[in-house]
Amino acid sequence: MSAPEPRARTVVELQQAVEAELARLAPVVDALGEVFAAAGHELALVGGPVRDAMLGRPHHDLDFATSARPDDTEKLLSAWGDATWDMGRDFGTIGCRKGEWTVEVTTYRSEAYDPDSRKPTVDFGDSLAGDLGRRDFTVNAMAVRVPGRVVEDPFGGVVDLAQGVLRTPGTPEASFSDDPLRMLRAARFAAQLGFEVAPEVVAAMTDMAARIEIISAERVRDELVKLVCAPWPRLGLTLLVETGLASYVLPELPALALERDEHHRHKDVYEHTLTVLEQAIDLEPRLGTDGPDFVSRFAALMHDVGKPKTRRFVDDGTVTFHHHDVVGAKITRKRMQALRFSKEETEAVSSLVELHLRFHGYGSGEWTDSAVRRYVRDAGDQLARLHVLTRADCTTRNRRKADALRRAYDDLEARIAVLQEQEELDSIRPDLDGNQIMELLGIGPGREVGEAYRFLLELRLDHGPMSTEDATAALRAWWAERSA
């Protein structure tokens, strides 16, 4: 997946696009604008909805800015909408649902970070221009006043949108000092929109990268998820590495750019990783899910992070990375825990990293059915993602080798499908349950039941389903030998 080549748009085309989208939004934006105007307040559609309207991307979640204070906003929305909420009241935001639309209205404001604080201080403002001036990028600093539908663009966002460039309304140094998370957002928007980041913005990101350390792990995590799930994550990830930001938020990524040794040769692990990520994205339709799949993408990004710690030089000029799968799983788990990912996501990604090399013992089909069953058992509910990761991990330019690997994995998947149909591999378990084990052996709950269960499970994996009589005989024989 190469970097996008955005089609050049004229300012007139952008204006026509926003007019068409505003016509679609008219039942909501004009009606709400009239409600606020009747109460003596200003209201304007702002941010992402305006930007995406110009790009021809429809929205059902609408953001507004207003001169009204939160208490007044809540009264107006309560009377107009179907339901309201005020979780963002401390930041001046009141939410509302109106039919199929989700609306958030925020009082004009300005934010700034104390140099040592993770949380912004909020001051309410009195003008739309002042509110737009505190936003992250010019393409997000446009507004449409309603109900009159007057476009406000004090910082040239329309031109930057037409040219596909990310700039800040003021100096990038001031913007990133106010909210360092905006540096990550620059990378995220580059990945989402396929835009170029202006040189002065890149320079400020490089000079101020260390300031990202004051931002909470949760906010960093959320931006990384959006970046990884964007259409062109390579653009954003490359920007993070080149500016040094990745060294603070995802240091395992730049560490993959291993220093070359003149006597030893091996694949560029950093470039290989980005290619694997792009190939995993291309394979996402295999998962049958709607939209991007973060777990499979992040597993592709992290699958080789164990290589720097396991690299060893061999006298014959080769390089080894023994056990980098196991080491990488531990590194991945630690990083995801530090970023406050959920336990479920952390275990899913770490498991995929640990299993990503397992297929390479398959050869041309030498695995027994027992080995195939264990592959399915160990993958568990991540089997479909493991299929994607394993296929994406082939980046060789040798067409014959690539075709051989693809055919081998086709064969493995076919064998898994046959065994799943015959043996219900997705819910593989011993042929006797815990109650039957205790009754046959005359024992109560305890360690011995667990040992017997594991013995029967291994027997099931080795030989497939057994009759109750055969499983009973095998269990009695094992118990007798164990007792002796």
Side-chain angles (χ1 to χ4, degrees):
M1 181 183 296
S2 59
E5 294 289 344
R7 183 181 71 83
R9 299 175 177 86
T10 66
V11 172
V12 172
E13 286 178 320
L14 295 178
Q15 290 172 335
Q16 291 173 340
V18 77
E19 288 172 4
E21 178 64 1
L22 286 174
R24 186 182 74 89
L25 299 177
V28 176
V29 298
D30 288 350
L32 189 58
E34 290 169 358
V35 168
F36 274 74
H41 303 297
E42 297 177 0
L43 186 71
L45 186 68
V46 295
V50 178
R51 178 199 69 223
D52 288 349
M54 293 186 178
L55 294 174
R57 300 174 179 178
H59 260 269
H60 279 80
D61 296 341
L62 305 178
D63 296 325
F64 294 86
T66 183
S67 59
R69 292 303 189 256
D71 288 345
D72 295 325
T73 297
E74 186 174 27
K75 292 177 183 177
L76 294 173
L77 290 180
S78 296
W80 175 78
D82 300 326
T84 60
W85 52 90
D86 66 349
M87 285 87 76
R89 179 182 291 275
D90 290 344
F91 298 97
T93 301
I94 305 296
C96 168
R97 180 175 57 79
K98 177 74 169 179
E100 62 178 332
W101 305 92
T102 299
V103 170
E104 287 194 343
V105 181
T106 303
T107 302
Y108 296 154
R109 66 189 187 187
S110 61
E111 293 180 352
Y113 272 80
D114 182 271
D116 300 316
S117 173
R118 289 183 172 186
K119 296 182 179 180
T121 58
V122 178
D123 293 320
F124 295 137
D126 296 309
S127 72
L128 177 60
D131 183 85
L132 295 178
R134 54 155 287 279
R135 294 178 181 268
D136 49 10
F137 302 104
T138 60
V139 297
N140 295 329
M142 300 179 289
V144 179
R145 290 185 182 272
V146 290
R149 302 191 197 176
V150 177
V151 175
E152 299 282 350
D153 180 25
F155 303 103
V158 173
V159 173
D160 287 342
L161 196 64
Q163 296 178 344
V165 177
L166 286 174
R167 302 183 193 278
T168 54
T171 66
E173 290 80 8
S175 179
F176 298 155
S177 180
D178 285 345
D179 186 353
L181 189 68
R182 291 172 177 171
M183 295 186 287
L184 286 188
R185 293 183 62 148
R188 189 248 289 185
F189 281 122
Q192 285 182 331
L193 302 174
F195 281 12
E196 177 186 354
V197 180
E200 68 273 14
V201 176
V202 174
M205 292 169 66
T206 304
D207 293 341
M208 302 175 68
R211 187 156 167 74
I212 199 66
E213 290 186 297
I214 74 167
I215 301 298
S216 69
E218 291 83 358
R219 295 184 76 202
V220 169
R221 174 202 64 208
D222 291 346
E223 286 299 321
L224 283 176
V225 170
K226 293 174 183 176
L227 191 162
V228 170
C229 290
W232 302 285
R234 179 189 280 263
L235 290 179
L237 294 169
T238 300
L239 183 62
L240 291 182
V241 171
E242 291 177 349
T243 57
L245 275 163
S247 296
Y248 296 96
V249 300
L250 195 64
E252 295 78 12
L253 183 59
L256 294 175
L258 300 175
E259 183 178 348
R260 295 305 182 97
D261 181 276
E262 62 178 328
H263 302 297
H264 299 83
R265 297 288 181 266
H266 60 79
K267 186 180 296 184
D268 185 323
V269 182
Y270 172 69
E271 286 297 326
H272 163 75
T273 294
L274 295 179
T275 301
V276 172
L277 170 59
E278 291 177 326
Q279 294 184 167
I281 293 172
D282 290 338
L283 292 168
E284 276 181 344
R286 284 174 158 264
L287 300 176
T289 56
D290 294 330
D293 183 72
F294 172 75
V295 170
S296 63
R297 292 189 182 199
F298 203 61
L301 189 62
M302 302 294 284
H303 80 284
D304 274 348
V305 295
K307 281 191 171 180
K309 286 192 174 182
T310 59
R311 182 171 66 160
R312 300 291 182 271
F313 297 121
V314 183
D315 292 339
D316 63 2
T318 60
V319 179
T320 65
F321 301 97
H322 293 315
H323 307 301
H324 78 267
D325 46 347
V326 177
V327 173
K330 293 179 180 178
I331 293 172
T332 298
R333 186 174 289 107
K334 184 176 180 181
R335 174 55 50 200
M336 294 187 74
Q337 289 171 344
L339 289 170
R340 305 292 192 270
F341 278 96
S342 69
K343 181 178 179 180
E344 292 75 19
E345 285 181 314
T346 300
E347 291 308 311
V349 175
S350 302
S351 175
L352 289 168
V353 172
E354 186 167 358
L355 292 171
H356 83 274
L357 286 183
R358 181 74 65 87
F359 163 71
H360 293 284
Y362 187 74
S364 57
E366 286 80 5
W367 276 5
T368 62
D369 284 351
S370 171
V372 174
R373 293 186 191 101
R374 282 180 165 78
Y375 187 78
V376 174
R377 188 270 310 269
D378 292 345
D381 60 1
Q382 299 305 313
L383 181 61
R385 288 177 171 136
L386 182 58
H387 290 334
V388 166
L389 177 58
T390 303
R391 288 181 179 276
D393 195 25
C394 176
T395 61
T396 179
R397 295 180 181 179
N398 185 318
R399 180 56 62 87
R400 179 179 298 179
K401 183 178 179 181
D403 287 344
L405 287 170
R406 177 182 52 76
R407 287 193 300 270
Y409 208 84
D410 286 344
D411 182 67
L412 174 58
E413 283 199 66
R415 290 180 63 186
I416 290 173
V418 170
L419 288 174
Q420 281 178 323
E421 183 176 353
Q422 294 175 345
E423 306 179 11
E424 298 181 356
L425 291 186
D426 291 337
S427 56
I428 195 166
R429 56 179 59 86
D431 297 290
L432 302 175
D433 62 24
N435 289 329
Q436 291 172 304
I437 290 171
M438 289 188 287
E439 182 179 350
L440 285 168
L441 301 183
I443 59 176
R447 179 172 55 84
E448 292 88 352
V449 178
E451 291 179 8
Y453 187 93
R454 287 189 290 274
F455 162 74
L456 289 172
L457 179 59
E458 290 299 315
L459 202 63
R460 169 75 169 77
L461 290 167
D462 284 336
H463 302 291
M466 301 175 66
S467 67
T468 301
E469 293 76 13
D470 289 343
T472 298
L475 177 63
R476 292 188 186 282
W478 171 82
W479 182 251
E481 182 179 350
R482 179 185 181 280
S483 299

